[in-house]
Amino acid sequence: MFRIETEVDKERRDLLRRRLRETNTAASPVLRALRGTPGERESPLHVWALADDGADGADGADGADGAAGRLVGGLVGHTWATWLHVTYLWVDEAARGAGLGGHLLARAEHLARTERACTASRLETWDFQAPRFYVKQGYEILCALPDYPPGITEYTLVKRWA
């Protein structure tokens, strides 16, 4: 007999993650070979575009801009097991159309290839965001998930370098 519970429990979540990881490692020679190596861990990769326009950088109420320059774009992702995963890519509306998004993406891909031995990149985007932009950058649409969330299609895209 089992008792089913639905509350959020961080300790159980962490235990479940550890047990799933152990099960996956035991079942997969690839994951087993990664175990204990630097390639096993996700490594953050961030690329920022800052405007050096003399502004004080205090245009955002969220406090993200500062003396180092006004944030006009950025890419946040990580590398893992020879893959770059792009989590966020954003360019300020006023800076769009000048190639900044492509430059940020190319810089992240270059770092992933040359400094982290990555051979591919992956990302997710919604239909109203930038799937055509990524295709122009050499990405291939592998998956389209309609109505995620309702009325929106989410795409998974991949780019292989090797």
Side-chain angles (χ1 to χ4, degrees):
M1 192 55 133
F2 301 99
R3 182 177 74 242
I4 304 296
E5 297 179 359
T6 60
E7 78 273 358
V8 174
D9 185 321
K10 291 180 182 179
E11 287 182 32
R12 286 182 185 159
R13 177 205 61 201
D14 292 346
L15 176 60
L16 181 75
R17 181 176 178 219
R18 280 192 307 274
R19 288 184 178 170
L20 179 60
R21 185 172 177 230
E22 290 167 3
T23 301
N24 291 345
T25 300
S28 167
V30 173
L31 294 176
R32 197 167 33 257
L34 279 173
R35 198 69 189 252
T37 70
E40 176 187 35
R41 293 179 291 282
E42 291 180 2
S43 297
L45 194 152
H46 298 177
V47 181
W48 306 108
L50 305 170
D52 293 325
D53 54 13
D56 64 4
D59 66 336
D62 59 8
D65 298 327
R70 182 174 49 84
L71 181 66
V72 293
L75 182 147
V76 172
H78 65 269
T79 56
W80 177 75
T82 72
W83 281 79
L84 166 63
H85 185 121
V86 177
T87 308
Y88 308 121
L89 174 58
W90 173 83
V91 174
D92 185 85
E93 191 171 344
R96 292 180 191 159
L100 181 56
H103 182 72
L104 291 167
L105 186 59
R107 180 63 183 253
E109 291 172 351
H110 176 76
L111 292 170
R113 282 192 323 265
T114 61
E115 296 182 9
R116 302 185 185 190
C118 288
T119 60
S121 177
R122 65 164 293 184
L123 57 91
E124 293 83 28
T125 190
W126 284 318
D127 55 7
F128 64 86
Q129 290 178 317
R132 288 185 304 273
F133 163 79
Y134 292 113
V135 169
K136 286 179 185 176
Q137 306 303 314
Y139 283 75
E140 174 188 0
I141 296 173
L142 289 187
C143 173
L145 185 57
D147 290 323
Y148 187 75
I152 296 172
T153 298
E154 181 181 85
Y155 294 95
T156 300
L157 295 100
V158 171
K159 182 176 183 180
R160 296 183 188 275
W161 304 306

